[in-house]
Amino acid sequence: MHGTVDGFSYGLVTPVVACLMACLGGALGLHCTTRALLVAGSWRPGWLALASAATGSGIWTAHFVAMIGFTVEETPVHYDRTATYTSLAAAVAMVGVGIFIVGYRGATGSALFTGGTITGLGIATMHYLGMVAMRLNGTLEYDTLTVAASVVIGVVAATTALWAAGQGRGPLWTVGASLVMGLAVSGMHYTGMAAVSVHLHGTGGTSVAGESPAALLGPMLAGPLSFLLLAGAVVLLGHRTAAGGPARIPAERKPGVPAGEHVFHTARRPLSRSRRVPARAPRRGPARERFRTPQNR
């Protein structure tokens, strides 16, 4: 017997809020990644780590906000807390690997392909680990082609977001890219949910282990609050490092640096070489005097 699945039991409230959470996490992650491409030394891994945590947490929060609206008419749906937070750790870790690849190798074709693929697989892993955390009086079954389509959407969304972060074209560009990413993540989620069907084990009334979605709502709401606080801190730090950060290292060691900085560094090198020429001139002094002796005679 198959259960009656409803992914929009609260109407458009959960999809809209979930999309906003994905956009918020994506905006913070993209901003941090862009800043990481403009600095180096001890700053770069810090920015990339913050980008990984923000993006992974945003996607995870969006998933479980959307899952609040997921119900099965014939059985209650609960969640295992340990498996739920394992999906969060997997999201941050795998998304972080992809972001660090692009952060250190630049927005090149190979880096975007590798980093985008790993990040997209991290999004899909988080989604389906979150589904594993579900506890209900039945078994989840998946349509293979629809699951594959959801994974492809996740990979494309992640690659596009990392490419946008490498462009560094200003706040409006980041906002637009984060909006596209949020819509793509939501599309990936609901595509994956469209692949789900529930095979019930029996009639209703059987107790289900785990916690209800309402019991996990508190930790989920802590995520958006943290994003707002982190966003304010990132904006402040971004203004402080924008002026002095990029000048501390050579331009050629930083992927994603605007072309103007390369011109600045290459213009200084001929001056430094010309200054070293007078220091070498006295070494040829004795040879010059030997050639002057016949002329004096």
Side-chain angles (χ1 to χ4, degrees), residues 107-134:
T108 61
S110 60
L112 285 174
F113 176 78
T114 305
T117 300
I118 295 175
T119 302
L121 292 177
I123 297 173
T125 300
M126 178 281 305
H127 174 86
Y128 290 105
L129 279 178
M131 299 297 292
V132 171
M134 296 177 64

Side-chain angles (χ1 to χ4, degrees), residues 67 70-73 75-79 134-137 208-209 211-213:
M67 290 305 295
F70 178 83
T71 58
V72 181
E73 183 176 340
T75 178
V77 178
H78 290 176
Y79 293 88
M134 296 177 64
R135 299 292 182 265
L136 70 163
N137 187 28
V208 177
E211 300 181 52
S212 65

Side-chain angles (χ1 to χ4, degrees), residues 63 123 170 215 223 233 254 280:
H63 170 81
I123 297 173
K254 301 181 301 179
R280 297 177 181 176

Side-chain angles (χ1 to χ4, degrees), residues 55-265:
T55 306
S57 299
I59 295 169
W60 179 84
T61 304
H63 170 81
F64 281 99
V65 167
M67 290 305 295
I68 293 176
F70 178 83
T71 58
V72 181
E73 183 176 340
E74 293 81 4
T75 178
V77 178
H78 290 176
Y79 293 88
D80 179 75
R81 183 177 292 271
T82 301
T84 298
Y85 289 112
T86 299
S87 67
L88 171 62
V92 173
M94 294 188 68
V95 168
V97 171
I99 289 177
F100 269 79
I101 289 175
V102 175
Y104 277 96
R105 295 182 58 186
T108 61
S110 60
L112 285 174
F113 176 78
T114 305
T117 300
I118 295 175
T119 302
L121 292 177
I123 297 173
T125 300
M126 178 281 305
H127 174 86
Y128 290 105
L129 279 178
M131 299 297 292
V132 171
M134 296 177 64
R135 299 292 182 265
L136 70 163
N137 187 28
T139 303
L140 298 180
E141 299 175 349
Y142 296 92
D143 178 74
T144 304
L145 291 179
T146 309
V147 169
S150 69
V151 174
V152 170
I153 293 174
V155 171
V156 172
T159 304
T160 303
L162 292 175
W163 172 80
Q167 303 306 302
R169 297 183 182 179
L172 293 178
W173 180 266
T174 301
V175 171
S178 63
L179 180 60
V180 172
M181 182 179 179
L183 292 173
V185 168
S186 297
M188 178 267 168
H189 172 84
Y190 286 104
T191 300
M193 296 308 298
V196 176
S197 61
V198 178
H199 180 75
L200 297 175
H201 291 163
T203 59
T206 305
S207 61
V208 177
E211 300 181 52
S212 65
L216 296 176
L217 185 60
M220 291 181 195
L221 292 179
L225 178 60
S226 300
F227 292 154
L228 293 176
L229 296 177
L230 287 174
V234 166
V235 170
L236 293 177
L237 290 174
H239 286 301
R240 292 180 180 179
T241 57
R248 290 195 294 265
I249 62 170
E252 54 271 20
R253 295 185 181 179
K254 301 181 301 179
V257 177
E261 292 198 16
H262 287 280
V263 174
F264 173 77
H265 287 288

